[in-house]
Amino acid sequence: MDFWEKLGIREKNFGASTGLKWFETKNEGELKIYSPTNGKYIASVYQASEEDYEKILNESGKAFKEWRKIPAPKRGEIVRQIGLKLREYKPYLGKLVSYEMGKSLQEGLGEVQEMIDICDFSLGQSRQLYGFTMASERASHRMYDQYHPLGVVGVITAFNFPVAVYAWNAMLATVCGDVNLWKPSSKVPLSAIAVQNIIGEVIKENNLPEGLFSLVIGKGSTIGEKLLNDKRIPLISLTGSTPVGRHAGEAIAKRFGRAILELGGNNGIIITPDADLKTAIPAIVFGAVGTAGQRCTTTRRLIIHESVYEKVKDSLIKAYKSLKIGDPLDEKNHVGPLIDKSAVKLFISALERVKEEGGKVTFGGEVLSGKGYESGCYIVPALVEAENHYKIVQEETFAPILYLIKYSGNVSNAIELHNDVVQGLSSAIYTNNLREAEQFLSIEGSDCGIANVNIGTSGAEIGGAFGGEKETGGGRESGSDSWKAYMRRQTNTINYGTALPLAQGIKFEI
Ligand code: UN1
């Protein structure tokens, strides 16, 4: 397979690196990676040891002391070069992401494009790490705030976005003067190794220090726990499920570390009587079955007005019937496999549970077998008629199950149902009625971190802040002013006068 050789993936790979240096530990177990697309073995990764982890942290600490002194625009230049390399490797890396994770080739390439875009964004940001100047209440005083680099940033990523989410964090952190330690999901470590190799070229060409970009592939129970509890890591950005995030958040809070948590979503789209179904239907289908329902932004609930319910349901059934399921590297297919067989089990058991609660599977739900489906990870995306209060509907099942939920009356009722879940990541409304749209975006509207009108819930651009409320964890990464989370803020007040006026008018004379 030429594409993974181009990316420096070998038959056996090591799991710990500080940049160009790789640690050659072999006794911590070997991860064997099979493609969910065809069940075929790809390559293996030796997991990192706790000793490797310590060595990495040592290097990172040293690298930070150097890197923080480099002017931010010069740090931006390094990120610009990473963006150029990614452009060069995009066809190969996109393909590897698709082959290792199982998302469509278009989406694999899209992930690499997100990396490129965040490099460009971060380059611009590198000249804009500014604070405010405030008017001091005291004469001859100047007050302002400034942002300083934070230190080692730990980036823990999930299997569903093997490369993009790392870049959202790492490229910003890099221009902010931080150094990165990446722990990718053990389900997709090869894509991470490929990225490490690509960045390695920039490290080499610029003679950058070891420890600026480190990678650790290892067990959650050892390496993961060390990261969470490590006082030398002031910020951890974690993408994962709500239970994982709850555990991580507690551990990080205990040591007063900072966390950017991007956890589960239970994203809904409201379809009002005024919705333009011509654009709504493809948006819903892409949102529900894209990445085989394994995005945190996947559309999971459709809250449909009763007057258009049957019409929407019929259109969706028709659209779902036309979906081509199969090898995601074959561009004619719309839906690839789930990540592994345990994900298939969760899909099946969620459908069982919704039936027990009174729901009706209107379409799909089968596990596919036979030619092309040998991996056992291919399923038919499901449409399920359900009610919002069902326990299973309240949960995030990481699979393509779309719950069709009926509402009556005005849009306030739909919003109430929409917000009645514990998660708060992404949301959307389809309507051509200005009042409904504005209400959805108002203080009485969606309680999510992302709220859209007439587009779906997934596929956010990197320019906006990404993340959500409630059990989604409250973190924001990527665009807007998310960069601030990767720096420490300092308020500075300078007295350039000859007197000592105190704030709040307090008199103190000696
Ligand atoms: C995720 O699923 O963790 O908005 C991230 C989207 C993508 C990112 C999803 N840009 O769907």
Side-chain angles (χ1 to χ4, degrees):
M1 286 269 180
D2 58 341
F3 63 90
W4 68 56
E5 275 164 20
K6 281 233 160 32
L7 295 162
I9 303 296
R10 289 173 299 203
E11 235 177 282
K12 290 181 183 287
N13 303 274
F14 294 108
S17 165
T18 49
L20 295 174
K21 207 177 350 166
W22 291 82
F23 299 105
E24 305 199 341
T25 298
K26 286 190 175 171
N27 56 0
E28 287 292 326
E30 200 176 344
L31 292 170
K32 295 198 187 269
I33 306 302
Y34 297 85
S35 171
T37 70
N38 55 14
K40 286 192 183 142
Y41 178 69
I42 315 176
S44 79
V45 181
Y46 292 114
Q47 297 188 108
S49 66
E50 295 189 39
E51 216 172 287
D52 296 336
Y53 174 88
E54 282 306 320
K55 284 188 203 149
I56 290 174
L57 255 289
N58 254 335
E59 295 279 6
S60 321
K62 277 192 267 169
F64 174 60
K65 288 201 169 132
E66 293 308 312
W67 188 243
R68 65 183 177 178
K69 289 190 294 200
I70 307 291
K74 295 220 163 82
R75 302 193 293 247
E77 164 58 19
I78 297 303
V79 165
R80 186 185 73 86
Q81 291 182 31
I82 295 174
L84 293 180
K85 288 278 180 218
L86 288 166
R87 281 171 171 90
E88 210 179 291
Y89 284 104
K90 181 177 170 183
Y92 313 112
L93 185 58
K95 211 163 170 183
L96 177 61
V97 166
S98 168
Y99 191 57
E100 187 180 28
M101 185 277 162
K103 62 175 64 182
S104 74
L105 181 58
Q106 276 302 309
E107 292 180 78
L109 294 169
E111 258 206 71
V112 185
Q113 190 57 46
E114 277 199 61
M115 300 179 83
I116 294 167
D117 293 342
I118 198 71
C119 286
D120 291 356
F121 182 94
S122 303
L123 168 65
Q125 194 67 65
S126 72
R127 289 183 185 268
Q128 302 172 81
L129 305 176
Y130 37 52
F132 291 120
T133 300
M134 288 76 70
S136 171
E137 65 188 59
R138 289 171 281 183
S140 303
H141 278 57
R142 187 163 73 83
M143 184 161 66
Y144 70 106
D145 56 23
Q146 58 175 341
Y147 288 85
H148 289 315
L150 204 54
V152 186
V153 173
V155 186
I156 302 177
T157 54
F159 77 84
N160 63 335
F161 274 78
V163 294
V165 173
Y166 165 66
W168 294 355
N169 288 280
M171 296 309 125
L172 273 183
T174 301
V175 299
C176 288
D178 302 321
V179 302
N180 300 283
L181 171 53
W182 181 14
K183 183 184 180 304
S185 159
S186 294
K187 294 183 180 183
V188 288
L190 301 174
S191 299
I193 291 172
V195 171
Q196 185 75 358
N197 288 337
I198 293 170
I199 293 178
E201 292 188 13
V202 177
I203 294 174
K204 196 164 166 195
E205 286 161 17
N206 292 274
N207 206 14
L208 297 171
E210 291 294 317
L212 181 53
F213 294 98
S214 299
L215 174 70
V216 64
I217 296 162
K219 293 178 199 130
S221 57
T222 53
I223 304 293
E225 285 306 311
K226 276 189 92 105
L227 251 157
L228 299 181
N229 293 294
D230 198 328
K231 283 197 174 142
R232 295 168 293 180
I233 304 181
L235 170 66
I236 290 191
S237 176
L238 178 143
T239 305
S241 68
T242 292
V244 168
R246 182 173 281 122
H247 169 71
E250 281 172 10
I252 298 163
K254 227 175 247 166
R255 62 175 174 89
F256 296 105
R258 274 196 214 167
I260 298 175
L261 299 177
E262 202 253 284
L263 313 175
N266 197 347
N267 317 295
I269 302 183
I270 296 173
I271 307 288
T272 81
D274 277 320
D276 173 7
L277 294 185
K278 214 166 81 239
T279 55
I281 298 296
I284 296 163
V285 178
F286 177 73
V289 312
T291 328
Q294 300 167 109
R295 288 195 192 206
C296 52
T297 50
T298 291
T299 308
R300 309 203 178 279
R301 297 178 300 136
L302 211 55
I303 300 160
I304 315 162
H305 193 265
E306 58 182 359
S307 62
V308 289
Y309 184 87
E310 290 302 323
K311 194 167 165 200
V312 170
K313 187 175 89 180
D314 291 347
S315 309
L316 283 174
I317 293 174
K318 199 165 148 225
Y320 269 55
K321 275 186 182 156
S322 72
L323 289 175
K324 292 194 180 69
I325 303 163
D327 182 0
L329 287 161
D330 180 341
E331 296 216 54
K332 78 171 188 315
N333 290 324
H334 304 102
V335 185
L338 289 175
I339 183 70
D340 53 25
K341 285 187 186 154
S342 64
V344 174
K345 270 196 202 136
L346 288 174
F347 172 73
I348 299 299
S349 88
L351 292 176
E352 286 307 318
R353 280 178 59 195
V354 75
K355 280 190 266 182
E356 280 163 26
E357 288 192 79
K360 185 172 159 221
V361 180
T362 308
F363 184 87
E366 302 85 7
V367 180
L368 296 170
S369 58
K371 196 166 158 25
Y373 303 129
E374 289 84 358
S375 69
C377 299
Y378 289 88
I379 45 96
V380 183
L383 290 169
V384 180
E385 295 187 78
E387 290 184 32
N388 196 63
H389 62 84
Y390 292 175
K391 270 180 91 175
I392 188 69
V393 176
Q394 295 276 321
E395 287 172 25
E396 177 192 49
T397 302
F398 227 49
I401 301 176
L402 181 62
Y403 298 115
L404 310 184
I405 298 158
K406 207 182 272 181
Y407 82 95
S408 49
N410 60 27
V411 78
S412 304
N413 298 338
I415 293 171
E416 201 171 310
L417 280 172
H418 174 272
N419 290 349
D420 192 16
V421 287
V422 291
Q423 308 85 348
L425 180 56
S426 187
S427 60
I429 190 168
Y430 260 87
T431 181
N432 280 337
N433 178 324
L434 180 71
R435 287 181 178 154
E436 288 180 335
E438 289 290 337
Q439 191 177 334
F440 182 71
L441 301 178
S442 78
I443 30 183
E444 296 169 292
S446 162
D447 60 3
C448 291
I450 298 170
N452 298 331
V453 175
N454 292 345
I455 62 166
T457 58
S458 70
E461 300 177 23
I462 57 101
F466 186 88
E469 304 300 332
K470 304 196 286 185
E471 291 196 4
T472 302
R476 292 294 187 281
E477 39 194 23
S478 192
S480 186
D481 66 352
S482 305
W483 63 272
K484 289 182 177 170
Y486 302 83
M487 303 197 83
R488 62 183 171 86
R489 180 197 300 237
Q490 189 173 66
T491 302
N492 305 115
T493 312
I494 300 155
N495 177 1
Y496 58 91
T498 52
L500 185 70
L502 297 178
Q504 296 91 44
I506 290 172
K507 299 255 175 290
F508 182 75
E509 273 161 29
I510 46 170

